[in-house]
Structure formats: C-alpha cells, structure tokens
Amino acid sequence: MITVNHLYKSFGDHEVLHDINEHIRPGEKVVIIGPSGSGKSTFLRCMNLLEEPTKGQIIFDGQDITGKGANINKIRQQMGMVFQHFNLFPNLSIMDNLTLAPVRSHMMKKEEAAEEALRLLRRVGLEDKADSYPGQISGGQKQRIAIVRSLAMKPKMMLFDEPTSALDPEMVGEVLEVMRGLAADGMTMAVVTHEMGFARGVATRVLFMDGGGIMEQGTPDDLFSNPKNPRTKEFLSKVL
C-alpha cells in the first residue's frame, strides 16, 4: 500500500527524520511508538505530504507521490487522516462536516453523501448528533466524528496522529473502540499513539522510533515481550 525509500526530513538545520525505509502492506495495522520528539508524527505526516520530505521517495498504491506530476489532492482522498485536535469545521453542523468533502470532490451527490454520513454516524453511535455543532459535543464524540469524516471519502488507508492524546482519559476508550472496529474490518492503518494496550491488541507490526529513525520493529509479542535494542528496552520499561 505504501513504500518509503530513504526518507529524510529537516526543519532548517535540524534533521528530524534520517534515512527511513519502510513499507505497509494492504490490511496491515502498523503502530508507531516512541518518545516525544522522536519523529513519529513527522514520519506519518510525510506519508501524505502534509510535511514535504527533504529527500526520499514515497510510493502509495503504486504511484510515486513525491514525483513531479503527482496530484496530491487526489491521492489524499485515498488516505484518511485523523489529527490529535479533531480539525472539524466549528461553523458547520456534524452532517455538513461529513458531507462537505464527498460533495465538493464530486464523489457523491448531496443526498447520497447525507445517506452515507448517517450510516457512518450509526456505526459510531452518534446518529442523534447529525444536526449538532462541534462545540456542542464532547472531545471523544468529536474524534469519532473526525474518524467517520475520513471514512466518508472511502479511503484505502487511514493515518492516525495521536488520536487520543487530547482527550480526557474516560473518552479514550470510545475512540479506540471505533479504531478497533476499523482494524477488524481490514482497514490498512498507520497509527502514532502512546496507547500501548491498543498497540499490543491491534497492531500487526509495531515500529519503535527514536532520534529520527526506526530503531526496532516486530510483532507486538516480539517487541513488547522481547525487545532487542537497549533504547527500546529503556523506553518500554518506563511506559509499560
């Protein structure tokens, strides 16, 4: 689904990512863990060019998206992105938040988009919030809406950038539940998170990042039970 070749990213003189080579196969759920400042979110944001790589190549679904002729807006329709702070339009109702992109991109007519939005709201138990505004619902509800807003575009892959870190602890579970459901349905996912229980239970593969590189990766069992890299061991000893 996605291949990353020799990815580098610098902000001025500060190198944030150094020579990353990685791939995610269709249906995989790859969870990226590591300390703050290790480059996790930058790596994720480079996958759909929200951050422009300084050097390197990213191939998504067979297409070089870092190439000159790539239509990145078209490509982003296939890669749902869920942010830490929801990024819903506060002046639009939940229904309008969900239907805006499918209608604007001529993917669906308004009636069809509204029907699909209601189906997705039912899926996350928020059908009764269709006419509410983001300011009227909780953080956990906002994040569930943000997830189904991405799903409304019928993406081939979902990117999650610390989707629960801005939530009160009691709201984290309801968002992770939606993500578990997506994983069970076979969605290809790349997730940056500090939720180790989610990584253990859902990931097909866990990547541990530090200092702008991938230090170690493996199945959740391997990585959590038998880490090889001393830095991985040190990190996990503090968070588990």
Side-chain angles (χ1 to χ4, degrees), residues 7-10 46 49 51-58 66:
L7 175 67
Y8 290 78
K9 176 64 184 175
S10 296
C46 281
L49 300 197
E51 293 291 357
E52 195 79 35
T54 304
K55 206 162 66 172
Q57 180 190 48
I58 296 167
T66 39

Side-chain angles (χ1 to χ4, degrees), residues 85-96:
H85 292 291
F86 329 127
N87 288 16
L88 297 174
F89 296 110
N91 59 324
L92 296 182
S93 69
I94 300 307
M95 176 57 79
D96 288 341

Side-chain angles (χ1 to χ4, degrees), residues 195-211:
E195 298 293 333
M196 297 300 147
F198 177 83
R200 250 196 169 126
V202 175
T204 46
R205 210 154 37 97
V206 180
L207 311 182
F208 171 71
M209 285 187 72
D210 193 29

Side-chain angles (χ1 to χ4, degrees), residues 5-64:
N5 295 319
H6 302 294
L7 175 67
Y8 290 78
K9 176 64 184 175
S10 296
F11 295 103
D13 292 337
H14 179 50
E15 189 176 68
V16 182
L17 299 176
H18 179 82
D19 198 20
I20 290 183
N21 295 280
E22 196 46 66
H23 61 271
I24 297 174
R25 295 188 179 91
E28 264 199 302
K29 292 95 184 101
V30 173
V31 175
I32 305 163
I33 64 170
S36 295
S38 59
K40 307 182 298 293
S41 288
T42 304
F43 176 38
L44 192 81
R45 291 166 69 88
C46 281
M47 287 187 202
N48 68 354
L49 300 197
L50 278 179
E51 293 291 357
E52 195 79 35
T54 304
K55 206 162 66 172
Q57 180 190 48
I58 296 167
I59 297 165
F60 172 68
D61 201 25
Q63 185 177 359
D64 181 356

Side-chain angles (χ1 to χ4, degrees), residues 102-131:
V103 172
R104 279 277 181 91
S105 62
H106 306 294
M107 195 175 144
M108 295 177 201
K109 292 201 163 63
K110 191 154 190 184
E111 298 72 26
E112 190 189 347
E115 209 173 289
E116 177 65 5
L118 279 175
R119 186 187 72 79
L120 290 167
L121 286 171
R122 271 197 294 275
R123 176 176 176 167
V124 296
L126 292 173
E127 192 182 0
D128 61 330
K129 302 296 182 190
D131 298 323

Side-chain angles (χ1 to χ4, degrees), residues 1-2 44-45 47-50 60 72-83 86 101 143 145-161 163 179 182 187-192:
M1 186 65 75
I2 196 161
L44 192 81
R45 291 166 69 88
M47 287 187 202
N48 68 354
L49 300 197
L50 278 179
F60 172 68
I72 189 58
N73 290 326
K74 202 86 183 135
I75 291 156
R76 281 192 189 124
Q77 291 176 17
Q78 302 295 311
M79 300 171 88
M81 178 90 183
V82 178
F83 300 89
F86 329 127
Q143 196 59 295
I145 298 293
I147 294 171
V148 297
R149 180 177 62 174
S150 288
L151 292 177
M153 293 298 289
K154 303 189 184 303
K156 293 180 177 175
M157 179 177 183
M158 290 283 287
L159 308 176
F160 293 87
D161 188 9
M179 292 170 66
L182 273 182
M187 176 62 77
T188 307
M189 296 163 70
V191 184
V192 170

